[in-house]
Coordinates of all heavy atoms in Angstrom, one line a residue:
M1 N 129.2 65.4 117.7 CA 130.1 64.3 117.8 C 131.0 64.4 119.1 O 131.2 63.4 119.7 CB 131.0 64.2 116.6 CG 130.3 63.7 115.4 SD 131.4 63.4 114.0 CE 131.4 65.0 113.2
T2 N 131.5 65.6 119.4 CA 132.3 65.8 120.5 C 131.5 65.5 121.8 O 132.0 64.8 122.7 CB 132.8 67.3 120.6 OG1 133.5 67.5 119.4 CG2 133.7 67.5 121.8
E3 N 130.3 65.9 121.9 CA 129.5 65.6 123.1 C 129.2 64.2 123.2 O 129.2 63.6 124.3 CB 128.2 66.4 123.0 CG 128.3 67.9 123.2 CD 127.0 68.7 123.0 OE1 126.0 68.1 123.1 OE2 127.1 69.9 122.9
L4 N 129.0 63.5 122.2 CA 128.7 62.0 122.2 C 129.9 61.3 122.6 O 129.8 60.3 123.4 CB 128.2 61.5 120.9 CG 126.8 62.0 120.5 CD1 126.5 61.6 119.0 CD2 125.8 61.4 121.4
C5 N 131.1 61.7 122.2 CA 132.3 61.0 122.6 C 132.5 61.2 124.1 O 132.9 60.3 124.8 CB 133.5 61.6 121.8 SG 133.6 60.9 120.1
R6 N 132.4 62.5 124.6 CA 132.5 62.7 126.0 C 131.5 61.9 126.8 O 131.9 61.3 127.8 CB 132.2 64.2 126.3 CG 133.4 65.1 126.1 CD 133.2 66.5 126.7 NE 133.8 67.4 125.8 CZ 133.2 68.6 125.5 NH1 132.1 68.9 125.9 NH2 133.9 69.4 124.7
A7 N 130.3 61.8 126.4 CA 129.2 61.1 127.1 C 129.6 59.6 127.1 O 129.3 58.9 128.1 CB 127.9 61.3 126.4
G8 N 130.3 59.1 126.1 CA 130.6 57.7 126.0 C 132.0 57.4 126.7 O 132.5 56.3 126.6
G9 N 132.6 58.4 127.3 CA 133.9 58.2 128.0 C 135.0 58.1 127.0 O 136.1 57.5 127.4
L10 N 134.9 58.6 125.8 CA 136.0 58.5 124.8 C 136.6 59.9 124.6 O 136.0 60.9 124.9 CB 135.4 58.0 123.5 CG 134.8 56.6 123.4 CD1 134.1 56.4 122.1 CD2 135.9 55.6 123.7
P11 N 137.9 59.9 124.1 CA 138.5 61.1 123.9 C 137.8 61.9 122.8 O 137.1 61.3 121.9 CB 139.9 60.7 123.3 CG 140.1 59.3 123.7 CD 138.7 58.7 123.9
E12 N 137.9 63.2 122.9 CA 137.2 64.1 121.9 C 137.9 63.8 120.5 O 139.1 63.6 120.4 CB 137.4 65.5 122.2 CG 136.6 65.9 123.5 CD 136.8 67.4 123.8 OE1 137.3 68.2 123.0 OE2 136.3 67.8 124.9
P13 N 137.1 63.8 119.4 CA 137.6 63.7 118.1 C 138.4 64.9 117.7 O 138.2 66.0 118.2 CB 136.4 63.4 117.2 CG 135.3 64.1 117.9 CD 135.6 64.0 119.4
S14 N 139.3 64.7 116.7 CA 140.0 65.8 116.1 C 139.4 66.1 114.8 O 138.9 65.2 114.1 CB 141.5 65.4 115.9 OG 142.1 65.1 117.1
Y15 N 139.4 67.4 114.4 CA 138.8 67.8 113.1 C 139.9 68.4 112.3 O 140.7 69.3 112.7 CB 137.7 68.8 113.4 CG 136.6 68.3 114.3 CD1 136.6 68.6 115.6 CD2 135.6 67.5 113.7 CE1 135.6 68.1 116.4 CE2 134.6 67.1 114.5 CZ 134.6 67.4 115.9 OH 133.6 66.9 116.7
L16 N 140.1 67.9 111.1 CA 141.1 68.4 110.2 C 140.5 68.9 108.9 O 139.6 68.2 108.3 CB 142.1 67.2 109.8 CG 142.7 66.5 111.0 CD1 143.4 65.3 110.5 CD2 143.7 67.4 111.7
V17 N 140.9 70.1 108.5 CA 140.4 70.6 107.2 C 141.7 70.9 106.4 O 142.6 71.6 106.8 CB 139.6 71.9 107.5 CG1 139.2 72.5 106.2 CG2 138.5 71.6 108.4
E18 N 141.6 70.4 105.1 CA 142.7 70.7 104.2 C 142.1 71.0 102.8 O 141.6 70.0 102.2 CB 143.7 69.5 104.2 CG 145.0 69.8 103.4 CD 145.9 68.7 103.5 OE1 146.3 68.3 104.6 OE2 146.3 68.2 102.4
G19 N 142.1 72.2 102.4 CA 141.5 72.5 101.2 C 140.0 72.3 101.3 O 139.3 72.8 102.2
S20 N 139.5 71.5 100.4 CA 138.0 71.2 100.5 C 137.8 69.8 101.2 O 136.6 69.3 101.2 CB 137.4 71.1 99.0 OG 138.1 70.1 98.3
D21 N 138.8 69.2 101.7 CA 138.7 68.0 102.5 C 138.5 68.2 103.9 O 139.0 69.1 104.5 CB 139.9 67.1 102.3 CG 140.2 66.7 100.8 OD1 139.2 66.6 100.1 OD2 141.3 66.5 100.5
F22 N 137.7 67.3 104.5 CA 137.3 67.5 106.0 C 137.4 66.1 106.6 O 136.8 65.1 106.1 CB 135.9 68.0 106.1 CG 135.5 68.2 107.5 CD1 135.9 69.3 108.3 CD2 134.6 67.3 108.1 CE1 135.5 69.4 109.6 CE2 134.2 67.4 109.4 CZ 134.6 68.5 110.2
W23 N 138.2 65.9 107.6 CA 138.3 64.6 108.3 C 137.9 64.8 109.8 O 138.2 65.8 110.4 CB 139.7 64.1 108.3 CG 140.3 63.7 107.0 CD1 140.1 62.5 106.4 CD2 141.1 64.5 106.2 NE1 140.8 62.5 105.2 CE2 141.4 63.7 105.0 CE3 141.7 65.8 106.3 CZ2 142.2 64.2 104.0 CZ3 142.5 66.2 105.2 CH2 142.7 65.4 104.1
V24 N 137.3 63.7 110.3 CA 137.1 63.6 111.7 C 137.9 62.4 112.2 O 137.7 61.3 111.6 CB 135.6 63.4 112.1 CG1 135.4 63.3 113.6 CG2 134.8 64.6 111.5
V25 N 138.7 62.6 113.1 CA 139.6 61.5 113.6 C 139.1 61.1 115.0 O 139.1 61.9 115.9 CB 141.1 61.9 113.7 CG1 141.9 60.8 114.2 CG2 141.5 62.4 112.3
F26 N 138.6 59.8 115.1 CA 138.2 59.3 116.4 C 139.4 58.5 117.0 O 140.0 57.7 116.3 CB 137.0 58.4 116.2 CG 135.8 59.1 115.7 CD1 135.4 59.2 114.4 CD2 135.0 59.8 116.6 CE1 134.3 59.8 113.9 CE2 133.9 60.5 116.2 CZ 133.5 60.5 114.9
K27 N 139.6 58.7 118.3 CA 140.6 57.9 119.0 C 140.0 56.9 119.9 O 138.9 57.1 120.5 CB 141.5 58.9 119.8 CG 142.1 60.0 118.9 CD 142.8 61.0 119.7 CE 143.3 62.1 118.8 NZ 143.5 63.3 119.5
K28 N 140.7 55.8 120.1 CA 140.3 54.8 121.0 C 140.4 55.3 122.5 O 141.0 56.3 122.7 CB 141.0 53.5 120.8 CG 142.5 53.6 121.1 CD 143.1 52.2 120.8 CE 144.6 52.3 121.1 NZ 145.3 51.1 120.9
D29 N 139.9 54.6 123.4 CA 140.1 54.9 124.8 C 141.5 55.1 125.2 O 142.3 54.2 125.0 CB 139.4 53.8 125.6 CG 139.5 54.0 127.1 OD1 139.8 55.1 127.5 OD2 139.2 53.1 127.8
I30 N 141.9 56.3 125.7 CA 143.3 56.5 126.0 C 143.7 55.9 127.4 O 144.9 55.8 127.7 CB 143.6 58.0 126.1 CG1 142.8 58.7 127.2 CG2 143.4 58.7 124.7 CD1 143.2 60.2 127.5
Y31 N 142.7 55.4 128.1 CA 143.1 54.9 129.4 C 143.4 53.4 129.3 O 142.7 52.5 129.9 CB 141.9 55.1 130.4 CG 141.7 56.6 130.6 CD1 140.6 57.2 130.1 CD2 142.6 57.4 131.3 CE1 140.4 58.6 130.3 CE2 142.4 58.7 131.5 CZ 141.3 59.3 131.0 OH 141.1 60.7 131.2
N32 N 144.4 53.1 128.6 CA 144.9 51.7 128.4 C 146.3 51.6 128.9 O 147.0 52.7 129.0 CB 144.7 51.2 127.0 CG 145.6 52.0 126.0 OD1 146.8 52.1 126.1 ND2 144.9 52.7 125.1
A33 N 146.8 50.5 129.3 CA 148.1 50.3 129.9 C 149.2 50.9 129.0 O 150.1 51.5 129.5 CB 148.4 48.8 130.1
E34 N 149.2 50.7 127.7 CA 150.2 51.2 126.8 C 150.4 52.7 126.9 O 151.5 53.2 127.0 CB 149.9 50.7 125.4 CG 151.0 51.0 124.4 CD 150.6 50.5 123.0 OE1 150.4 49.3 122.9 OE2 150.4 51.3 122.1
Y35 N 149.3 53.4 126.8 CA 149.3 54.8 126.8 C 149.7 55.3 128.2 O 150.5 56.3 128.3 CB 147.9 55.4 126.5 CG 147.8 56.9 126.7 CD1 148.3 57.8 125.7 CD2 147.1 57.4 127.8 CE1 148.2 59.1 125.9 CE2 147.0 58.8 128.0 CZ 147.6 59.7 127.0 OH 147.5 61.0 127.2
L36 N 149.2 54.7 129.2 CA 149.6 55.2 130.6 C 151.0 54.9 130.9 O 151.7 55.8 131.6 CB 148.7 54.5 131.6 CG 147.2 54.8 131.5 CD1 146.3 53.9 132.4 CD2 146.9 56.3 131.7
E37 N 151.6 53.8 130.4 CA 153.0 53.6 130.6 C 153.9 54.7 129.9 O 154.9 55.1 130.4 CB 153.4 52.2 130.2 CG 152.9 51.1 131.1 CD 153.1 49.7 130.5 OE1 153.6 49.6 129.4 OE2 152.7 48.7 131.2
A38 N 153.4 55.1 128.8 CA 154.1 56.1 128.0 C 154.1 57.5 128.8 O 155.0 58.3 128.5 CB 153.5 56.3 126.6
L39 N 153.2 57.7 129.7 CA 153.1 58.9 130.5 C 154.1 58.8 131.7 O 154.2 59.8 132.4 CB 151.7 59.1 131.0 CG 150.6 59.5 130.0 CD1 149.3 59.6 130.7 CD2 151.0 60.8 129.2
G40 N 154.7 57.7 131.9 CA 155.7 57.5 133.0 C 155.0 57.2 134.3 O 155.6 57.4 135.3
L41 N 153.8 56.6 134.2 CA 153.2 56.2 135.5 C 153.8 54.9 136.0 O 154.3 54.1 135.3 CB 151.7 55.9 135.3 CG 150.8 57.0 134.7 CD1 149.4 56.6 134.7 CD2 151.0 58.3 135.5
N42 N 153.9 54.8 137.4 CA 154.4 53.6 137.9 C 153.2 52.6 137.9 O 152.1 52.9 137.6 CB 154.9 53.8 139.3 CG 153.9 54.3 140.3 OD1 152.8 53.9 140.4 ND2 154.4 55.3 141.1
N43 N 153.5 51.3 138.3 CA 152.5 50.3 138.2 C 151.3 50.5 139.1 O 150.2 50.2 138.8 CB 153.1 48.9 138.5 CG 154.0 48.4 137.4 OD1 153.8 48.7 136.2 ND2 154.9 47.5 137.7
R44 N 151.6 51.1 140.3 CA 150.5 51.4 141.2 C 149.6 52.4 140.6 O 148.3 52.3 140.6 CB 151.1 52.0 142.5 CG 151.9 51.1 143.3 CD 152.3 51.7 144.7 NE 152.8 53.1 144.5 CZ 154.1 53.4 144.6 NH1 155.0 52.5 144.7 NH2 154.5 54.7 144.5
Q45 N 150.1 53.5 140.0 CA 149.3 54.5 139.4 C 148.5 54.0 138.2 O 147.4 54.3 138.0 CB 150.2 55.7 139.0 CG 150.7 56.5 140.2 CD 151.8 57.5 139.8 OE1 152.6 57.2 138.9 NE2 151.8 58.6 140.4
L46 N 149.2 53.1 137.4 CA 148.5 52.5 136.3 C 147.3 51.7 136.7 O 146.2 51.8 136.2 CB 149.5 51.6 135.5 CG 149.0 51.0 134.2 CD1 150.1 51.2 133.2 CD2 148.7 49.6 134.4
N47 N 147.5 50.9 137.8 CA 146.4 50.1 138.3 C 145.3 51.0 138.9 O 144.1 50.7 138.8 CB 146.9 49.2 139.4 CG 147.7 48.0 138.8 OD1 147.5 47.6 137.7 ND2 148.6 47.5 139.6
A48 N 145.6 52.1 139.5 CA 144.6 53.1 140.0 C 143.8 53.7 138.9 O 142.6 53.8 139.0 CB 145.3 54.2 140.8
V49 N 144.4 54.0 137.8 CA 143.6 54.6 136.7 C 142.7 53.5 136.1 O 141.5 53.8 135.8 CB 144.6 55.1 135.6 CG1 143.8 55.5 134.3 CG2 145.4 56.3 136.1
L50 N 143.2 52.3 135.9 CA 142.4 51.3 135.4 C 141.2 50.9 136.3 O 140.1 50.7 135.9 CB 143.2 50.0 135.1 CG 144.3 50.2 134.0 CD1 145.1 48.9 133.8 CD2 143.7 50.7 132.7
F51 N 141.5 51.0 137.6 CA 140.4 50.8 138.7 C 139.4 51.8 138.6 O 138.2 51.5 138.5 CB 141.1 50.8 140.1 CG 140.1 50.6 141.2 CD1 139.9 49.3 141.7 CD2 139.4 51.6 141.8 CE1 139.0 49.1 142.8 CE2 138.6 51.5 142.8 CZ 138.4 50.2 143.3
A52 N 139.8 53.1 138.5 CA 138.9 54.2 138.4 C 138.1 54.1 137.1 O 136.9 54.5 137.1 CB 139.6 55.5 138.5
R53 N 138.7 53.7 136.0 CA 137.9 53.5 134.8 C 136.9 52.5 134.9 O 135.7 52.7 134.5 CB 138.9 53.2 133.6 CG 138.2 53.1 132.3 CD 139.2 52.8 131.2 NE 138.9 51.5 130.7 CZ 139.7 50.7 130.1 NH1 140.9 51.1 129.9 NH2 139.4 49.5 129.8
E54 N 137.2 51.4 135.6 CA 136.2 50.3 135.7 C 135.1 50.6 136.7 O 133.9 50.4 136.5 CB 136.9 49.0 136.2 CG 136.0 47.9 136.4 CD 136.7 46.6 136.9 OE1 137.9 46.5 136.6 OE2 136.1 45.8 137.6
K55 N 135.5 51.2 137.8 CA 134.5 51.5 138.9 C 133.9 52.9 138.9 O 132.9 53.1 139.6 CB 135.2 51.3 140.3 CG 135.9 50.0 140.5 CD 134.9 48.9 140.7 CE 135.6 47.6 141.0 NZ 134.8 46.5 141.1
G56 N 134.4 53.8 138.1 CA 133.9 55.1 138.0 C 134.6 56.1 138.9 O 134.5 57.3 138.7
K57 N 135.2 55.6 140.0 CA 135.9 56.5 140.9 C 136.9 55.7 141.7 O 136.8 54.4 141.7 CB 135.0 57.3 141.8 CG 134.2 56.4 142.8 CD 133.3 57.2 143.6 CE 132.5 56.2 144.6 NZ 131.6 57.0 145.5
I58 N 137.7 56.4 142.5 CA 138.7 55.7 143.4 C 138.9 56.6 144.6 O 138.9 57.8 144.5 CB 140.0 55.3 142.7 CG1 140.8 54.4 143.7 CG2 140.8 56.6 142.3 CD1 142.0 53.8 142.9
T59 N 139.0 56.0 145.8 CA 139.3 56.8 147.0 C 140.7 56.5 147.4 O 141.3 55.5 146.9 CB 138.3 56.3 148.1 OG1 138.6 55.0 148.5 CG2 136.9 56.5 147.8
N60 N 141.2 57.2 148.3 CA 142.5 57.0 148.9 C 142.6 55.6 149.5 O 143.5 54.9 149.3 CB 142.9 58.1 149.9 CG 144.4 58.1 150.2 OD1 144.9 57.1 150.7 ND2 145.1 59.2 150.0
S61 N 141.5 55.3 150.2 CA 141.5 53.9 150.9 C 141.5 52.8 149.8 O 142.1 51.8 150.0 CB 140.2 53.8 151.7 OG 140.3 54.7 152.8
D62 N 140.7 53.0 148.7 CA 140.7 52.0 147.7 C 142.1 51.8 147.1 O 142.6 50.7 146.9 CB 139.8 52.4 146.5 CG 138.3 52.5 146.8 OD1 137.9 51.7 147.6 OD2 137.6 53.2 146.1
Y63 N 142.8 52.9 147.0 CA 144.2 52.9 146.4 C 145.1 52.2 147.4 O 145.9 51.4 146.9 CB 144.6 54.3 146.1 CG 145.9 54.4 145.3 CD1 146.0 53.7 144.1 CD2 146.9 55.2 145.7 CE1 147.2 53.8 143.4 CE2 148.1 55.3 145.0 CZ 148.2 54.6 143.8 OH 149.4 54.7 143.1
Q64 N 145.0 52.4 148.6 CA 145.8 51.7 149.6 C 145.6 50.2 149.6 O 146.6 49.5 149.6 CB 145.5 52.3 151.0 CG 146.0 53.7 151.2 CD 145.5 54.2 152.6 OE1 145.7 53.6 153.6 NE2 144.8 55.4 152.5
V65 N 144.4 49.8 149.6 CA 144.0 48.4 149.5 C 144.5 47.7 148.2 O 145.1 46.7 148.2 CB 142.5 48.2 149.7 CG1 142.1 46.7 149.5 CG2 142.1 48.6 151.1
L66 N 144.3 48.4 147.1 CA 144.7 47.9 145.8 C 146.2 47.7 145.7 O 146.6 46.7 145.1 CB 144.2 48.9 144.7 CG 144.5 48.6 143.3 CD1 143.7 47.4 142.8 CD2 144.2 49.8 142.4
T67 N 147.0 48.6 146.3 CA 148.4 48.6 146.1 C 149.2 48.1 147.3 O 150.4 47.9 147.2 CB 148.9 49.9 145.7 OG1 148.6 50.9 146.7 CG2 148.3 50.3 144.3
G68 N 148.6 48.1 148.5 CA 149.3 47.8 149.7 C 150.3 48.8 150.2 O 151.3 48.5 150.8
I69 N 150.0 50.1 150.0 CA 150.9 51.1 150.4 C 150.3 52.0 151.5 O 149.1 51.8 151.8 CB 151.2 52.1 149.2 CG1 150.0 52.7 148.6 CG2 152.0 51.3 148.1 CD1 150.2 53.7 147.5
S70 N 151.1 52.9 152.1 CA 150.7 53.7 153.2 C 149.8 54.8 152.6 O 149.7 55.1 151.4 CB 151.9 54.3 153.9 OG 152.5 55.3 153.0
R71 N 149.0 55.5 153.6 CA 148.2 56.6 153.2 C 149.0 57.7 152.6 O 148.6 58.3 151.6 CB 147.4 57.1 154.4 CG 146.4 58.2 154.1 CD 145.6 58.6 155.3 NE 146.4 59.0 156.5 CZ 146.8 60.3 156.7 NH1 146.5 61.2 155.8 NH2 147.6 60.5 157.8
E72 N 150.2 58.0 153.1 CA 151.0 59.1 152.6 C 151.5 58.8 151.2 O 151.4 59.7 150.4 CB 152.2 59.3 153.6 CG 151.8 59.8 154.9 CD 151.4 58.7 155.9 OE1 151.6 57.5 155.6 OE2 150.7 59.1 156.9
T73 N 151.9 57.6 150.9 CA 152.3 57.3 149.6 C 151.1 57.3 148.6 O 151.3 57.8 147.5 CB 153.0 55.9 149.5 OG1 154.1 55.9 150.5 CG2 153.4 55.5 148.2
A74 N 150.0 56.8 149.0 CA 148.8 56.9 148.2 C 148.4 58.4 147.9 O 148.1 58.7 146.7 CB 147.6 56.2 148.9
T75 N 148.5 59.2 148.9 CA 148.2 60.7 148.7 C 149.2 61.3 147.7 O 148.7 62.0 146.8 CB 148.3 61.4 150.0 OG1 147.3 60.8 150.9 CG2 148.0 62.9 149.8
R76 N 150.4 61.0 147.8 CA 151.4 61.5 146.8 C 151.2 61.0 145.4 O 151.2 61.8 144.5 CB 152.9 61.1 147.2 CG 153.5 62.0 148.3 CD 155.0 61.7 148.5 NE 155.3 60.4 148.7 CZ 155.4 59.8 150.0 NH1 155.1 60.6 151.0 NH2 155.7 58.6 150.1
D77 N 150.9 59.7 145.3 CA 150.6 59.1 144.0 C 149.4 59.8 143.3 O 149.3 60.1 142.1 CB 150.4 57.6 144.0 CG 151.7 56.8 144.1 OD1 152.8 57.5 144.1 OD2 151.7 55.6 144.1
I78 N 148.3 59.9 144.1 CA 147.1 60.5 143.6 C 147.3 61.9 143.2 O 146.8 62.4 142.2 CB 145.9 60.3 144.6 CG1 145.5 58.9 144.7 CG2 144.7 61.2 144.3 CD1 144.6 58.5 145.9
K79 N 148.1 62.7 144.0 CA 148.4 64.1 143.7 C 149.1 64.1 142.3 O 148.8 65.0 141.5 CB 149.2 64.7 144.7 CG 149.4 66.2 144.4 CD 150.3 66.9 145.5 CE 150.6 68.3 145.2 NZ 150.7 68.7 143.8
E80 N 150.0 63.2 142.1 CA 150.7 63.2 140.8 C 149.7 62.9 139.7 O 149.9 63.5 138.6 CB 151.8 62.1 140.9 CG 152.7 62.2 139.7 CD 153.9 61.2 139.8 OE1 154.4 61.0 140.9 OE2 154.3 60.7 138.7
L81 N 148.8 62.0 139.9 CA 147.8 61.7 138.8 C 146.9 63.0 138.6 O 146.5 63.2 137.4 CB 146.9 60.5 139.2 CG 147.7 59.2 139.2 CD1 146.9 58.1 139.9 CD2 148.1 58.8 137.8
I82 N 146.6 63.7 139.6 CA 145.9 65.0 139.4 C 146.7 66.0 138.6 O 146.2 66.6 137.7 CB 145.4 65.6 140.8 CG1 144.4 64.6 141.4 CG2 144.9 67.0 140.6 CD1 144.0 65.0 142.9
D83 N 148.0 66.1 139.0 CA 148.9 67.0 138.3 C 149.1 66.7 136.9 O 149.2 67.6 136.0 CB 150.3 67.1 139.0 CG 150.2 67.7 140.4 OD1 149.2 68.4 140.7 OD2 151.2 67.5 141.2
K84 N 149.0 65.4 136.5 CA 149.1 64.9 135.1 C 147.8 65.0 134.4 O 147.7 64.6 133.3 CB 149.7 63.5 135.1 CG 151.1 63.5 135.5 CD 151.7 62.1 135.3 CE 153.2 62.1 135.6 NZ 153.9 61.0 135.1
K85 N 146.8 65.5 135.1 CA 145.4 65.7 134.5 C 144.7 64.4 134.2 O 143.8 64.4 133.3 CB 145.5 66.6 133.3 CG 146.2 67.9 133.5 CD 145.3 68.9 134.1 CE 145.9 70.3 134.1 NZ 146.1 70.9 135.3
L86 N 145.1 63.3 134.8 CA 144.4 62.1 134.6 C 143.2 61.9 135.6 O 142.2 61.3 135.3 CB 145.4 60.9 134.8 CG 146.4 60.8 133.7 CD1 147.4 59.7 134.1 CD2 145.7 60.4 132.4
F87 N 143.4 62.4 136.8 CA 142.3 62.4 137.8 C 141.9 63.8 138.1 O 142.6 64.8 138.0 CB 142.9 61.8 139.2 CG 142.9 60.3 139.2 CD1 142.5 59.5 138.2 CD2 143.4 59.7 140.4 CE1 142.5 58.2 138.3 CE2 143.4 58.4 140.5 CZ 143.0 57.6 139.5
K88 N 140.6 63.9 138.5 CA 140.1 65.2 139.1 C 139.5 64.8 140.5 O 138.9 63.8 140.7 CB 139.2 65.9 138.2 CG 137.9 65.1 137.9 CD 137.0 65.9 136.9 CE 135.9 65.1 136.4 NZ 135.1 65.7 135.4
S89 N 139.6 65.8 141.4 CA 139.1 65.6 142.7 C 137.7 65.8 142.8 O 137.1 66.7 142.1 CB 139.9 66.5 143.7 OG 139.3 66.4 145.0
S90 N 137.0 65.2 143.7 CA 135.6 65.4 143.9 C 135.3 66.8 144.6 O 134.2 67.2 144.6 CB 135.0 64.3 144.8 OG 135.6 64.3 146.1
G91 N 136.4 67.3 145.2 CA 136.2 68.6 145.9 C 135.9 68.4 147.4 O 135.9 69.3 148.2
I92 N 135.7 67.1 147.7 CA 135.4 66.8 149.1 C 136.7 66.5 149.8 O 137.6 65.9 149.2 CB 134.5 65.5 149.2 CG1 133.2 65.8 148.5 CG2 134.3 65.1 150.7 CD1 132.3 64.6 148.3
R93 N 136.9 67.0 151.0 CA 138.1 66.7 151.7 C 137.9 65.7 152.8 O 136.8 65.6 153.4 CB 138.7 68.0 152.4 CG 138.9 69.0 151.3 CD 139.8 70.1 151.7 NE 141.1 69.5 151.6 CZ 142.2 70.1 152.0 NH1 142.2 71.3 152.4 NH2 143.4 69.5 151.9
G94 N 138.9 64.9 153.1 CA 138.7 63.9 154.2 C 138.2 62.6 153.8 O 138.4 62.2 152.7
A95 N 137.4 62.0 154.7 CA 137.0 60.6 154.5 C 136.1 60.4 153.3 O 136.0 59.3 152.7 CB 136.3 60.1 155.7
G96 N 135.4 61.4 152.8 CA 134.4 61.3 151.7 C 135.1 61.6 150.4 O 134.4 61.5 149.3
A97 N 136.3 61.9 150.3 CA 137.0 62.3 149.1 C 137.1 61.2 148.1 O 137.3 60.0 148.5 CB 138.4 62.9 149.4
Y98 N 136.9 61.4 146.9 CA 137.1 60.4 145.8 C 137.7 61.2 144.6 O 137.6 62.4 144.5 CB 135.9 59.7 145.5 CG 134.7 60.5 145.0 CD1 134.5 60.7 143.6 CD2 133.8 61.1 145.9 CE1 133.5 61.5 143.2 CE2 132.7 61.8 145.4 CZ 132.6 62.0 144.0 OH 131.6 62.8 143.6
Y99 N 138.1 60.4 143.6 CA 138.8 60.9 142.4 C 138.2 60.2 141.2 O 137.9 59.0 141.3 CB 140.3 60.7 142.5 CG 140.8 61.3 143.8 CD1 140.9 60.5 144.9 CD2 141.1 62.6 143.9 CE1 141.4 61.0 146.1 CE2 141.6 63.1 145.1 CZ 141.7 62.3 146.2 OH 142.1 62.9 147.4
T100 N 138.0 60.9 140.2 CA 137.4 60.3 138.9 C 138.4 60.7 137.8 O 139.2 61.6 137.9 CB 136.0 60.9 138.6 OG1 136.1 62.4 138.5 CG2 135.0 60.5 139.6
L101 N 138.2 60.0 136.7 CA 139.1 60.2 135.5 C 138.7 61.6 135.0 O 137.5 62.0 134.9 CB 138.9 59.2 134.5 CG 139.4 57.8 134.8 CD1 139.1 56.8 133.8 CD2 140.9 57.8 135.1
N102 N 139.7 62.3 134.5 CA 139.5 63.7 134.0 C 139.0 63.6 132.6 O 139.3 62.8 131.8 CB 140.8 64.4 134.1 CG 140.6 65.9 134.0 OD1 139.5 66.4 134.1 ND2 141.7 66.6 134.0

């Protein structure tokens, strides 16, 4: 079940055992505006996460065009999303770099 949820882009289920009872709790997609706002993301970052969810990835250039901000501000915002474990880096540096949802 865990692997299927991951493959479907959903959060991993929780497993609860109490006595002889066993529950599997499935969660809806966590990448929605309500959840992201609760994490303290600004509107630009929220839009970036939703963009990455829809497109599969986002680049610094995509983020700049999407939000109308400078490269430096985009870099800071993306770094914060990585620090909050929402994005992971492709590992590529420079012009080919992109970020995906974690």
